[in-house]
Amino acid sequence: DAGVTQSPTHLIKTRGQQVTLRCSPKSGHDTVSWYQQALGQGPQFIFQYYEEEERQRGNFPDRFSGHQFPNYSSELNVNALLLGDSALYLCASSLALAGYTDTQYFGPGTRLTVL
Amino acid sequence: SQQGEEDPQALSIQEGENATMNCSYKTSINNLQWYRQNSGRGLVHLILIRSNEREKHSGRLRVTLDTSKKSSSLLITASRAADTASYFCATAVIYNQGGKLIFGQGTELSVKP
């Protein structure tokens, strides 16, 4: 049973560029949430997708956008990258029927470095 | 912004000792969860306690929740070197549609052999 997978593992971009991160949820899960974790901090909620719609959003600018596909996988897009966007981006999956915030299963993360 | 505050920020103990981490939060919650993270990798779910529960056990882990004080604690008994990691509490807030986890800043635990 595959857990949550994320790609790529590491990414280096320059300021102003755009990036797309990908996530495949745990088998059987239908809800995907994205978090940003800066060095030495706890993860911060970016947004959550269920039934291909953004259901909840954290305090992040519109430069952060996402998408969920019919197979429940998800993408996180960040436009006009800033140095401050350098962080570990975590994807978490869960089952809506069990409660959107019941146990969440996290992927290994994508380490984004913006130069 | 982080909802939770955890203390201590760092904790260093010897193998075999118990480790206690505390978490405080600000708003009403549906449940509170504890996660572990090794060296900046993905988070591993440890235990979930619902708002109507006061104590929960899982193996060497014991979690308490005091909703009147908006606080929780995680106790790891008989710690091992392999327990060395960062530990985060996360409060679950559920809306009409969807929900989110709000994480604290974490406690960095070091268990020396």
Side-chain angles (χ1 to χ4, degrees):
Chain A
D1 178 22
V4 180
T5 60
Q6 291 186 244
S7 63
T9 306
H10 295 88
L11 205 49
I12 298 175
K13 292 285 188 178
T14 56
R15 278 179 298 175
Q17 284 190 313
Q18 178 263 344
V19 69
T20 297
L21 311 182
R22 295 177 176 83
C23 170
S24 290
K26 180 178 166 63
S27 178
H29 283 185
D30 54 12
T31 301
V32 173
S33 302
W34 286 91
Y35 294 82
Q36 179 196 65
Q37 186 179 22
L39 203 59
Q41 303 291 316
Q44 290 205 35
F45 176 76
I46 303 175
F47 41 54
Q48 182 181 74
Y49 277 85
Y50 170 64
E51 291 186 328
E52 302 178 50
E53 286 189 22
E54 182 182 292
R55 300 291 175 166
Q56 290 297 325
R57 188 178 183 92
N59 189 24
F60 280 81
D62 291 345
R63 297 187 298 109
F64 289 77
S65 63
H67 189 76
Q68 185 179 34
F69 299 94
N71 66 353
Y72 308 121
S73 66
S74 176
E75 286 182 352
L76 163 65
N77 300 293
V78 187
N79 294 324
L81 285 167
L82 304 173
L83 294 179
D85 295 332
S86 294
L88 181 69
Y89 288 84
L90 296 162
C91 167
S93 74
S94 55
L95 192 58
L97 198 61
Y100 295 103
T101 53
D102 230 23
T103 301
Q104 296 201 2
Y105 292 82
F106 281 80
T110 293
R111 173 73 62 187
L112 172 65
T113 302
V114 182
L115 302 176
Chain B
S1 62
Q2 311 286 136
Q3 151 145 261
E5 303 242 344
E6 295 182 58
D7 82 278
Q9 288 188 347
L11 180 61
S12 182
I13 58 175
Q14 294 293 133
E15 232 177 4
E17 293 181 337
N18 295 341
T20 300
M21 289 160 260
N22 302 296
C23 168
S24 61
Y25 57 92
K26 297 173 185 171
T27 63
S28 297
I29 62 171
N30 177 273
N31 64 65
L32 186 145
Q33 303 175 33
W34 286 87
Y35 287 83
R36 186 183 76 193
Q37 185 177 42
N38 288 83
S39 301
R41 305 182 67 154
L43 280 78
V44 174
H45 181 265
L46 295 176
I47 195 165
L48 179 155
I49 186 165
R50 302 198 183 278
S51 59
N52 60 352
E53 296 176 311
R54 291 297 167 258
E55 187 171 314
K56 203 161 184 180
H57 297 255
S58 177
R60 294 185 295 113
L61 306 180
R62 173 180 168 253
V63 169
T64 61
L65 178 65
D66 187 335
T67 53
S68 66
K69 294 181 179 177
K70 291 187 167 56
S71 67
S72 173
S73 67
L74 171 68
L75 168 68
I76 304 174
T77 59
S79 63
R80 306 166 182 166
D83 295 330
T84 295
S86 293
Y87 291 81
F88 295 91
C89 71
T91 50
V93 180
I94 295 179
Y95 302 98
N96 207 12
Q97 289 191 22
K100 61 183 180 184
L101 292 180
I102 305 175
F103 285 83
Q105 301 224 345
T107 293
E108 198 172 322
L109 174 65
S110 175
V111 181
K112 301 187 185 313

